[in-house]
Amino acid sequence: MKDKVRRGGGRNHSKADGISPVGGKETVGIKQNDDTSFPVKIQGAGVEPFELQVHGFWLVQDAVMTLLSRDEVCPRSNLTLAFAGATLDPLAELQSLKGLKPGAILRLVEEPYSARSVRLHLARVLELLRTPGPQDALREGRSPSILETLTQTPESSLLNGKSLKRSISHQKTDSANQDGAPPEYLLPGSSDRPLMGLLPQSSQPETPVYLRDLSLSCWNPPPGHRKLQGDFLYVTVVTKEGQRCEITSCPKGFFVNRSTDQVFDPRPVQSSPVCHCFTDLLCHISPAFKQTFSSLKNRHQLPPVEAMPTPYHTQCWLGPPCASRTHKNTFSRLGMDEQPATQAPDWNEELQAARDLPQASLEERLQRDRALLQVNSAFVRAVTQGAESVIEGYVEPVTGNPEDPAFLWGGLFMSQGAASAVFGGERGRRAAQRLELKGVQAYSNLDGLQGLHTLPTAIVDYRGVRLSAQGLAPGLEGSEQNQDIPPASRGLLYGVNAGAQESPHRRQLLELLAHTAKTLSLQRHVVIAPSGHKVPLFTSVDAQGLLGADGRFYVLDVFRSFPADANFYQEAADQENNGWLENYQSDTGLPRPFPHSLCRLRPELIQAFILLKHTQFTQCVRETLDENGGFEECATASDSRATNAVRAACKEVGSVSDIIFEMRFNPSIFSPGVLFPPDESVSTKLQERLLREAAAFITTHQIPAFVEYCLQSTEVPMDGASLKQALHQRGINLRYLGHVVKTIKQSEHKDKLRHILRTVISEIFIRSARRVFNSFAQGVDIPCLAAAVSHFLCCLLVPNFISTPLGEDTKKKSRRRGRGPGASDSTPWSTLTGAELWNLVCQDAAETYNIFDNLGSGPNQLAENYGLQKISLLREFCLKTGVQLRLRDYFLDNQSKAPVGPDDIINIFPVVKHIHMPTVDASKAFCAAQTSIQKGLLDQAHQHLKEAAYLFGRVCDDLHPEACYCHSLLAKVAYLQGKAAEARSGQLKAVIISERVLGFDHPNTIQQYALLAVYVYAGGEISLAQKCLLRARLLMLTIHGEDHPFIATLDSCLGLVMTGDQAGQFLKNALRINTSFFGPTNLHTALNQHLLSQWMCSKGDYRSAMTHEKEALTTFTSLFGADHPQTHCSTEFLSTITKQAVRVERSLRQAGPDCTEQIVECLTPTTDTILEQMVLVTGIRRIAHSDRLQEYKQKHLELKAAVAKELAYKAASTELFASETANGGEENEHPETGCGKEAENGGSPTLENTIESHGEASADAIVSANGHVVEPEHEEKTETEGENSERADAEGKLENGETVEKAETESSAANGVRSSVTTEEIKSDTAADEMKSGFSEVNGALNGSLEITAPSVLKGNKSWADVPEVMIANGAADKDGEVNGAESISVNGTTEE
């Protein structure tokens, strides 16, 4: 897979990528730097001479670092460069060196070692010897990349569970896979869910064994007299031949001494040379090491996106099949991994120093974003290690309070937090830690506001305990203990307990907090402090503003920064019923009490509610003005009617200002223990009313909108992670899961929403079980942890499970295995039964989600009622608790034997939640690409996406979820432009990133595999396309099951790429699923009817084919009308089938009953037809739902003719006419219309792109196969610039004259649905903070794409590598895609003229 990584690889990027800048002139320097590159020759230091490409702006140390990463030099270190006999200054620029020309010779010079550089060199050697193997990711709990096993291995790589197990033990393969047929468990209707096929064996060989052992010698440290002679340390090496050697490190390098394990003799062996590089000495000692080491340098090099470590740990819930056999010697006894005995890192200073980096130029911003990501990534890794050390008992608490122990480890302050009864005990403590992280994230995202800082923060769950970790701010460690010191002396400038003080620092801090309050929509309010004084606040009542010893302002304790959720505060119901809808409490059962009192609204909900209020405000003003004479009259009059209308509207919607629309919320409302002064009663009542309305907005608007979206789309949630993301994007907290269940069950389409109900019930069950597990795990001793976890899983998933007491034989076996006598009957965790655990889970579900009888009486009834899979429940539980299971097939219905044993629990990993660092410039480029796509400017969008991919590579080396979405959209745009090879390469990269960053079985990974299948099929790689689709189906069956709309999408594609009867199996199953979810008259169902009719034609069954095509034609006619191109195409195809059926019937009658020869002619679709149909099914290209484009074209032609006629009267000559029209084109050029120069470069007019006042998009906003936007249908390229001018005028009049419709519920494609597009996705002049939030719409559910139709991409059976780039001239239709005589985008793969 050499073509996997071509762009976007960070330092591995080719800077010669032709990238058009979004940020103006700042990005020009990216390309200009290439002009200073030139080659030089490298010699010396015992390496073979080679050539290196350097840049003139490089420092000498940059060239040295590049050399150290080359295979020719690695693992040598402590080298310098010399030119013309003189050692070069490391800080000198190469272009400043006199005489340095292309082809010049630079020599590597070996510098003497120091005590520190020797250790760094040995650590570098260790890193090389620990070359990662295929099993390393599983052993370390990281999500692996599986794509390589599909692209590099033969057909037998995709084995079922049983055959894969046999192949491991007996080197046998399943005969069913010899002919390329899929295994039985992947066929429709199979109930087997083996896990062995999820992680097939890699084709890459395991890491060879270089040495038997490598460790520090027992003679360390060197005695004093040897230190004076230069000995740094002694190393013991045991070679593969069994030879034991003692090696001395000195300033000149390494040599073998005469010491043994019993006698110390530091003198060098006579035959031992002094080698500057440690591996050179090992090659001299051991011929076997020399041979193996030479093969290491010739090993297969993985692309950077596969080889580089991910910034954050992506958990894998499955581990190696045999953990003991995969464990290998990492030479940790050498001691190079241990932290040096120096001061712990100052995480806060590192983070704040990175935030304070300059941001004037693009290069400076990229370096700042990369530094922030690196610091945060290192901080999260330290938090993970610290949590393991603290909870495993290696760290002593620094406080004597057993209820709230605090720990200091590695520069981190870690604590559980106090369990306050006011907040709800243990549940309240965990909620406070989670909300503190969200508050820190909100304040950290305010990049435009410099001067206000937050501490690096993360929370980690490990073995049932949640710890909060923060960096140490200078001068703030003792602020809580020294309460006797005045607040100002402790640096406390702001807060309820700050007291009355006045200083320049306090005024500066208040100004910063006032700006943040405006950005976060927080209202300034006054509360009564415990001392009785009135305190004005810009934040929540708990927040504190401090001045650190480093001179920076810090804001702490921001866990109540967001407004309260009135639906879960009993005070909201007990007070005056102001703000609640009529019968709201009786219909919804809200407000009701919650286990903790820290229920807050999400920021996404606040923004959506403000948009709703703005719509109401605009409507109220319009109605008031209409009652008083109309808008124009009131606007031109000099009276106060317009002002009064605005004031009345502000009062009606609850604006905090009476002259402008401004929505702000008081975060202290409904907070227990907070008192407000009497003069704030009016403002307090207004805020209570707003919070009630916002809470009701969730149940009356957001949840029904989510259910309606799920009813129409195939991109609905597949598992708990995607469900959580989809709900959070709409501002719905997970505590509303019970209300979502109620809404679905009350819906008249509840049967079509069974997959959503199944996912919601699963999420409720697993979350309740996790809370019970947290309490369960804290009472288990470490030696019994594996047995306790396996026992808990058996009780959870096996009905009425009761652990059997261990017999004598079992105890003897346990003793022989070294695990002690095993658990006894008196062990507390072993007394837990399945019935008892089920009652605890149901009780938690009732308290949290108001779910009482929905879970049933046991796991079997739960699975039967909702169609749940126990293997999916097991996966969800492991991902949420950090448990890693051994890779094997689990039979969870076996009640006679425990399905999960102690040996199956490989490890428990910490689950960390952390701050997400923004990638501002890359996000801007990505959003600019989305805007260009919405305008129909594919060429411009392609350039923006290439730039975004480059910027993502510079900041995060592409290992980021946002980079995955960018590469996927880039591949889609490239495919629509006819660049199939580029689409394939980019999609390969997107799949690998998704597997490594999101997870090998994440829903996004499944969607990326489906898209990759289309692109590789376009290049003629049919076998690889089948593997990708089967891989996606296997993952989909594991995480959800077969009863899901996306299974229909996969089965439709499999029916197109497979052959024989199995293709019919997949197509029939897709039709069954689509019919059950969308009904018989839906577009998805009609597409399947046509595909099945086409397959039956290929089998010669024309009678059945006619039946299915008639059903499809009926649906197309009802949806689009009789004049739609799709209807015409279906009619023609039905006519063809009918004629062929008559011809076959006539032939059969003429042949007679005694004829044995096959005379039935079959209609087989071409490869181009199949490809176009896959493009439609996966949503890469869409079928237009209406003929408004044709109507627009007609109006456009009429308007253009009228303009030309009017200009003809005014023009004195043809030359004057052309001049005037050209000037008109320049005057009418507008960024929201694809005209002027943009139109000349491949643009097309914007269709219905008007944005309503509350930010919803136009009527053709459609969700595509993986949530990305695709290209709108193009106009024919105009001949002159004057025609561009006329088209601009026509567009402007048409946009102002047409009604813009909401696009939330209308289904429009094979597996997509209309969805509202947020303001951030459409506005071209969006602010930086809005750009950053644009990816929340793309990730996971990804709502908000525009319909795109484009020419056919590939025509012919050429390989993907041989396909030339097709330049599309303003979207002109490719007539080579005609199938069945039609020229329209249709089911059977034709393109619209």
Side-chain angles (χ1 to χ4, degrees):
M1 298 194 322
K2 294 182 180 180
D3 62 322
K4 286 182 187 176
V5 181
R6 295 195 177 183
R7 306 192 190 278
R11 294 181 180 177
N12 302 281
H13 251 291
S14 172
K15 295 188 177 182
D17 301 342
I19 298 172
S20 67
V22 172
K25 300 180 180 179
E26 296 179 347
T27 55
V28 177
I30 298 176
K31 294 185 289 185
Q32 290 178 346
N33 292 335
D34 287 324
D35 300 335
T36 63
S37 63
F38 57 91
V40 295
K41 295 182 179 179
I42 305 297
Q43 297 179 358
V47 301
E48 294 291 334
F50 63 94
E51 191 174 88
L52 177 69
Q53 193 78 12
V54 298
H55 298 270
F57 62 88
W58 277 7
L59 301 179
V60 173
Q61 63 182 6
D62 295 333
V64 172
M65 294 300 296
T66 304
L67 285 170
L68 294 181
S69 64
R70 294 287 296 261
D71 288 339
E72 298 89 340
V73 179
C74 185
R76 304 176 187 276
S77 63
N78 213 45
L79 302 175
T80 57
L81 282 175
F83 177 63
T87 303
L88 300 179
D89 182 9
L91 300 180
E93 289 188 355
L94 294 181
Q95 59 191 4
S96 66
L97 301 178
K98 295 182 179 180
L100 186 62
K101 302 177 182 179
I105 299 177
L106 296 179
R107 298 192 63 84
L108 288 170
V109 180
E110 298 173 344
E111 294 292 330
Y113 285 109
S114 63
R116 180 177 179 275
S117 59
V118 160
R119 289 184 172 271
L120 293 177
H121 178 76
L122 290 176
R124 192 170 160 79
V125 172
L126 276 182
E127 182 182 359
L128 181 63
L129 298 182
R130 294 171 180 173
T131 302
Q135 295 289 335
D136 288 357
L138 296 182
R139 185 174 56 253
E140 298 170 7
R142 294 181 286 107
S143 179
S145 177
I146 310 298
L147 180 60
E148 176 265 339
T149 65
L150 303 183
T151 57
Q152 298 295 333
T153 55
E155 295 286 343
S156 59
S157 64
L158 188 63
L159 303 176
N160 58 33
K162 297 180 180 179
S163 63
L164 182 56
K165 185 182 295 184
R166 293 199 305 269
S167 68
I168 295 176
S169 57
H170 305 291
Q171 299 297 321
K172 296 181 180 179
T173 56
D174 192 358
S175 60
N177 290 317
Q178 297 299 327
D179 57 352
E184 293 183 1
Y185 69 87
L186 285 179
L187 295 179
S190 175
S191 59
D192 295 335
R193 299 291 182 262
L195 298 182
M196 295 295 291
L198 287 178
L199 299 174
Q201 285 185 308
S202 174
S203 62
Q204 300 300 325
E206 284 290 341
T207 306
V209 178
Y210 304 99
L211 301 169
R212 289 190 180 180
D213 195 19
L214 178 63
S215 61
L216 285 178
S217 173
C218 60
W219 301 113
N220 279 298
H225 68 283
R226 292 303 304 176
K227 285 184 178 180
L228 297 177
Q229 298 183 37
D231 290 0
F232 293 138
L233 53 84
Y234 305 120
V235 178
T236 300
V237 174
V238 180
T239 64
K240 293 179 66 176
E241 296 87 352
Q243 180 183 1
R244 180 187 179 94
C245 301
E246 297 287 338
I247 299 178
T248 300
S249 66
C250 62
K252 293 184 178 181
F254 303 87
F255 62 87
V256 180
N257 60 42
R258 302 183 182 183
S259 299
T260 64
D261 56 349
Q262 297 179 354
V263 179
F264 176 68
D265 188 354
R267 294 176 298 167
V269 176
Q270 292 181 356
S271 61
S272 173
V274 179
C275 300
H276 191 266
C277 183
F278 187 70
T279 55
D280 290 346
L281 182 60
L282 293 179
C283 291
H284 177 78
I285 296 173
S286 171
F289 177 86
K290 183 177 181 180
Q291 180 180 0
T292 310
F293 189 72
S294 61
S295 65
L296 172 66
K297 295 206 170 186
N298 297 327
R299 69 189 186 278
H300 172 71
Q301 296 289 339
L302 293 175
V305 73
E306 288 191 59
M308 298 187 66
T310 56
Y312 306 109
H313 181 90
T314 305
Q315 183 186 346
C316 179
W317 65 285
L318 292 174
C322 184
S324 300
R325 294 178 183 176
T326 58
H327 189 63
K328 59 184 181 181
N329 185 3
T330 58
F331 311 121
S332 58
R333 290 195 300 160
L334 191 59
M336 296 299 109
D337 295 332
E338 299 176 1
Q339 293 288 341
T342 58
Q343 186 178 1
D346 190 345
W347 295 109
N348 179 70
E349 180 58 33
E350 292 189 19
L351 181 64
Q352 309 309 337
R355 283 177 174 165
D356 293 341
L357 289 175
Q359 307 180 56
S361 64
L362 173 63
E363 187 65 27
E364 290 177 345
R365 292 195 298 274
L366 292 177
Q367 293 179 1
R368 178 181 180 270
D369 291 345
R370 186 175 182 86
L372 283 172
L373 182 64
Q374 290 176 344
V375 171
N376 194 55
S377 175
F379 171 76
V380 171
R381 286 195 297 269
V383 169
T384 304
Q385 299 171 4
E388 293 178 343
S389 301
V390 167
I391 296 176
E392 291 172 0
Y394 293 104
V395 183
E396 292 294 329
V398 294
T399 59
N401 184 9
E403 299 295 331
D404 183 18
F407 304 88
L408 289 177
W409 184 91
L412 300 172
F413 178 79
M414 310 187 75
S415 66
Q416 289 183 258
S420 173
V422 178
F423 296 148
E426 176 66 19
R427 294 284 298 271
R429 173 167 62 182
R430 288 176 174 266
Q433 292 172 316
R434 173 176 49 83
L435 290 172
E436 177 72 18
L437 182 68
K438 289 176 56 180
V440 172
Q441 179 76 70
Y443 279 94
S444 299
N445 288 341
L446 305 177
D447 287 333
L449 183 65
Q450 300 295 328
L452 190 62
H453 300 265
T454 55
L455 298 179
T457 307
I459 57 176
V460 54
D461 293 295
Y462 184 54
R463 295 183 181 178
V465 180
R466 171 169 289 186
L467 291 177
S468 177
Q470 287 186 323
L472 300 176
L476 304 184
E477 304 94 90
S479 60
E480 296 295 332
Q481 289 89 1
N482 304 327
Q483 297 294 337
D484 297 335
I485 304 177
S489 301
R490 290 186 279 123
L492 183 61
L493 301 179
Y494 170 84
V496 175
N497 299 320
Q501 51 180 299
E502 185 65 28
S503 66
H505 289 301
R506 175 178 168 83
R507 289 194 295 269
Q508 185 178 356
L509 176 60
L510 291 178
E511 183 179 353
L512 292 172
L513 292 175
H515 284 293
T516 59
K518 181 179 181 180
T519 306
L520 298 177
S521 301
L522 300 180
Q523 185 195 27
R524 178 188 179 276
H525 58 283
V526 179
V527 299
I528 300 178
S531 60
H533 298 287
K534 296 181 181 180
V535 180
L537 296 176
F538 294 98
T539 60
S540 61
V541 70
D542 311 282
Q544 301 182 62
L546 302 101
L547 177 64
D550 55 357
R552 298 187 180 100
F553 294 108
Y554 293 90
V555 57
L556 308 178
D557 298 334
V558 292
F559 60 93
R560 285 201 281 189
S561 294
F562 300 106
D565 188 350
N567 278 331
F568 295 93
Y569 283 91
Q570 197 62 38
E571 299 84 7
D574 297 338
Q575 296 175 7
E576 182 183 357
N577 190 17
N578 181 21
W580 295 121
L581 300 176
E582 185 179 358
N583 299 328
Y584 177 78
Q585 298 179 0
S586 59
D587 294 342
T588 63
L590 299 172
R592 66 175 182 87
F594 199 73
H596 64 77
S597 59
L598 289 176
C599 298
R600 321 300 287 186
L601 298 176
R602 294 190 60 83
E604 298 92 342
L605 189 278
I606 296 299
Q607 296 302 319
F609 182 68
I610 292 177
L611 288 176
L612 174 68
K613 283 293 182 179
H614 186 268
T615 304
Q616 296 176 355
F617 170 80
T618 306
Q619 183 178 1
C620 183
V621 172
R622 185 183 297 115
E623 292 176 354
T624 305
L625 294 179
D626 290 342
E627 294 174 357
N628 295 323
F631 173 79
E632 295 183 358
E633 180 180 344
C634 295
T636 56
S638 58
D639 53 17
S640 60
R641 284 180 293 176
T643 305
N644 293 336
V646 172
R647 291 180 181 273
C650 288
K651 183 178 180 181
E652 176 67 22
V653 300
S655 172
V656 296
S657 172
D658 59 349
I659 57 175
I660 60 173
F661 175 80
E662 184 176 11
M663 298 299 298
R664 296 203 186 188
F665 301 89
N666 186 344
S668 300
I669 296 292
F670 297 137
S671 296
V674 178
L675 300 177
F676 298 96
D679 54 355
E680 292 282 326
S681 60
V682 176
S683 175
T684 303
K685 289 183 179 181
L686 173 61
Q687 288 296 316
E688 291 177 354
R689 167 199 157 192
L690 288 178
L691 292 186
R692 290 190 182 96
E693 292 180 359
F697 175 69
I698 300 177
T699 58
T700 58
H701 290 76
Q702 297 301 89
I703 292 180
F706 167 75
V707 172
E708 185 66 25
Y709 159 72
C710 295
L711 186 63
Q712 300 292 340
S713 175
T714 60
E715 299 289 326
V716 294
M718 304 175 186
D719 66 344
S722 54
L723 174 67
K724 174 184 175 181
Q725 193 168 29
L727 291 174
H728 284 178
Q729 285 178 359
R730 292 163 176 80
I732 305 172
N733 301 85
L734 292 181
R735 57 179 169 268
Y736 286 95
L737 287 176
H739 196 83
V740 175
V741 171
K742 182 179 178 181
T743 304
I744 292 176
K745 290 189 173 183
Q746 292 176 350
S747 173
E748 59 180 358
H749 305 291
K750 61 180 180 181
D751 185 62
K752 298 181 179 180
L753 293 167
R754 60 186 182 274
H755 56 305
I756 303 300
L757 180 62
R758 180 184 307 120
T759 307
V760 174
I761 290 293
S762 171
E763 188 71 3
I764 290 175
F765 174 72
I766 293 300
R767 287 184 170 273
S768 297
R770 182 185 61 178
R771 281 186 283 271
V772 178
F773 176 78
N774 291 336
S775 303
F776 172 83
Q778 295 181 33
V780 179
D781 296 333
I782 292 181
C784 304
L785 199 56
V789 173
S790 63
H791 177 76
F792 185 91
L793 288 175
C794 292
C795 293
L796 184 67
L797 299 176
V798 179
N800 302 320
F801 179 80
I802 301 177
S803 61
T804 56
L806 296 174
E808 294 297 328
D809 296 339
T810 307
K811 294 182 180 180
K812 291 179 181 178
K813 292 180 181 179
S814 299
R815 291 192 187 99
R816 286 198 299 267
R817 294 176 183 174
R819 294 198 301 267
S824 62
D825 294 340
S826 60
T827 306
W829 59 263
S830 64
T831 61
L832 180 69
T833 63
E836 181 182 355
L837 176 58
W838 190 261
N839 291 333
L840 293 175
V841 171
C842 292
Q843 180 182 354
D844 183 273
E847 294 177 354
T848 307
Y849 307 106
N850 204 26
I851 295 294
F852 294 96
D853 299 329
N854 297 77
L855 298 184
S857 59
N860 284 359
Q861 185 179 1
L862 176 69
E864 181 180 353
N865 291 343
Y866 300 101
L868 284 169
Q869 298 182 140
K870 291 187 178 181
I871 197 66
S872 302
L873 297 176
L874 181 63
R875 169 186 175 269
E876 291 285 351
F877 179 85
C878 292
L879 289 176
K880 285 180 171 58
T881 57
V883 175
Q884 186 184 38
L885 297 177
R886 182 164 65 97
L887 178 60
R888 72 172 181 87
D889 295 335
Y890 293 91
F891 304 96
L892 300 175
D893 293 327
N894 187 0
Q895 301 184 16
S896 61
K897 182 181 178 181
V900 182
D903 291 337
D904 296 323
I905 309 300
I906 292 182
N907 205 344
I908 300 180
F909 293 98
V911 179
V912 185
K913 298 179 181 179
H914 55 83
I915 300 297
H916 296 278
M917 293 299 171
T919 52
V920 180
D921 290 282
S923 301
K924 287 182 179 179
F926 187 85
C927 292
Q930 288 181 314
T931 305
S932 299
I933 290 174
Q934 291 165 3
K935 298 176 183 178
L937 307 176
L938 271 194
D939 293 336
Q940 193 177 93
H942 186 264
Q943 293 298 322
H944 285 311
L945 287 170
K946 288 176 71 68
E947 182 189 1
Y950 171 82
L951 297 177
F952 278 124
R954 288 289 308 275
V955 174
C956 56
D957 296 312
D958 287 325
L959 296 174
H960 197 278
E962 298 174 357
C964 172
Y965 309 138
C966 177
H967 282 285
S968 181
L969 183 56
L970 177 60
K972 183 173 295 186
V973 172
Y975 181 83
L976 293 174
Q977 286 186 314
K979 305 172 184 177
E982 181 182 345
R984 178 192 186 274
S985 179
Q987 191 62 30
L988 281 171
K989 198 170 188 178
V991 171
I992 296 174
I993 297 172
S994 183
E995 285 184 325
R996 299 198 61 208
V997 176
L998 296 175
F1000 76 94
D1001 55 352
H1002 192 273
N1004 181 76
T1005 305
I1006 299 175
Q1007 296 173 358
Q1008 300 303 332
Y1009 264 115
L1011 292 176
L1012 177 62
V1014 178
Y1015 304 147
V1016 297
Y1017 188 88
E1021 301 174 88
I1022 301 177
S1023 176
L1024 181 56
Q1026 293 176 356
K1027 291 180 182 180
C1028 292
L1029 291 172
L1030 290 174
R1031 174 70 183 173
R1033 196 176 202 276
L1034 173 61
L1035 296 176
M1036 190 68 203
L1037 291 176
T1038 304
I1039 71 172
H1040 188 93
E1042 195 173 54
D1043 191 27
H1044 193 279
F1046 197 72
I1047 284 287
T1049 300
L1050 297 176
D1051 285 358
S1052 297
C1053 294
L1054 282 168
L1056 290 170
V1057 300
M1058 303 294 290
T1059 57
D1061 294 337
Q1062 290 178 340
Q1065 284 184 273
F1066 287 112
L1067 288 175
K1068 291 176 182 178
N1069 190 60
L1071 177 60
R1072 178 188 62 81
I1073 295 176
N1074 277 332
T1075 303
S1076 64
F1077 281 110
F1078 303 109
T1081 59
N1082 187 270
L1083 178 61
H1084 305 286
T1085 310
L1087 287 171
N1088 278 123
Q1089 294 278 14
H1090 175 82
L1091 296 182
L1092 193 57
S1093 173
Q1094 177 181 276
W1095 174 77
M1096 289 180 173
C1097 287
S1098 68
K1099 305 297 289 185
D1101 187 1
Y1102 294 104
R1103 188 178 300 275
S1104 300
M1106 290 171 58
T1107 303
H1108 288 287
E1109 190 61 32
K1110 287 179 180 178
E1111 295 288 341
L1113 178 59
T1114 302
T1115 302
F1116 292 143
T1117 304
S1118 63
L1119 290 177
F1120 307 133
D1123 296 331
H1124 193 273
Q1126 182 59 59
T1127 309
H1128 288 310
C1129 181
S1130 180
T1131 304
E1132 294 175 3
F1133 186 65
L1134 180 59
S1135 175
T1136 304
I1137 298 174
T1138 306
K1139 293 178 182 178
Q1140 185 70 8
V1142 172
R1143 189 180 303 113
V1144 170
E1145 186 69 22
R1146 184 183 302 115
S1147 300
L1148 289 176
R1149 284 199 301 266
Q1150 292 175 357
D1154 298 332
C1155 180
T1156 58
E1157 297 182 2
Q1158 183 179 1
I1159 59 174
V1160 177
E1161 300 179 6
C1162 300
L1163 294 178
T1164 304
T1166 64
T1167 303
D1168 299 334
T1169 302
I1170 295 176
L1171 177 60
E1172 287 295 335
Q1173 290 169 347
M1174 291 180 65
V1175 169
L1176 291 174
V1177 168
T1178 54
I1180 298 176
R1181 187 175 303 147
R1182 300 286 177 175
I1183 300 175
H1185 233 266
S1186 65
D1187 289 335
R1188 271 191 288 178
L1189 182 59
Q1190 282 73 19
E1191 296 173 5
Y1192 164 75
K1193 288 181 178 179
Q1194 185 65 28
K1195 293 181 181 179
H1196 169 65
L1197 294 176
E1198 295 175 358
L1199 196 59
K1200 187 167 65 172
V1203 171
K1205 183 178 181 180
E1206 182 180 354
L1207 290 176
Y1209 284 114
K1210 295 181 180 179
S1213 64
T1214 304
E1215 180 180 358
L1216 179 60
F1217 167 74
S1219 175
E1220 289 178 354
T1221 52
N1223 295 333
E1226 296 177 356
E1227 293 174 357
N1228 288 290
E1229 184 175 350
H1230 190 273
E1232 292 299 326
T1233 61
C1235 304
K1237 296 181 179 179
E1238 293 181 350
E1240 293 179 3
N1241 295 330
S1244 68
T1246 307
L1247 301 181
E1248 301 144 7
N1249 199 24
T1250 308
I1251 305 170
E1252 293 194 6
S1253 59
H1254 51 80
E1256 293 193 352
S1258 61
D1260 285 330
I1262 300 174
V1263 173
S1264 61
N1266 65 343
H1268 295 314
V1269 282
V1270 274
E1271 174 193 0
E1273 185 172 3
H1274 292 268
E1275 281 288 314
E1276 296 182 359
K1277 187 173 183 179
T1278 52
E1279 295 289 333
T1280 63
E1281 194 171 338
E1283 292 180 355
N1284 288 335
S1285 168
E1286 298 162 7
R1287 180 169 59 183
D1289 295 336
E1291 288 170 6
K1293 296 179 181 179
L1294 181 61
E1295 287 182 1
N1296 294 330
E1298 284 194 4
T1299 303
V1300 180
E1301 302 174 355
K1302 293 185 179 179
E1304 295 180 350
T1305 60
E1306 185 178 355
S1307 172
S1308 72
N1311 61 343
V1313 65
R1314 297 187 181 216
S1315 172
S1316 59
V1317 183
T1318 57
T1319 307
E1320 291 83 2
E1321 293 177 303
I1322 298 180
K1323 288 185 178 178
S1324 58
D1325 298 328
T1326 312
D1329 55 338
E1330 295 176 338
M1331 291 292 187
K1332 290 182 290 184
S1333 64
F1335 280 108
S1336 63
E1337 322 296 333
V1338 181
N1339 190 2
L1342 302 167
N1343 62 344
S1345 335
L1346 274 181
E1347 173 187 354
I1348 300 184
T1349 47
S1352 180
V1353 178
L1354 269 181
K1355 302 299 172 189
N1357 297 323
K1358 297 181 180 180
S1359 171
W1360 66 269
D1362 301 326
V1363 179
E1365 293 186 357
V1366 181
M1367 301 303 296
I1368 302 177
N1370 201 20
D1374 185 1
K1375 295 186 179 180
D1376 294 335
E1378 297 182 16
V1379 179
N1380 295 334
E1383 293 183 357
S1384 61
I1385 293 184
S1386 60
V1387 182
N1388 44 327
T1390 55
T1391 56
E1392 180 170 333
E1393 184 178 15

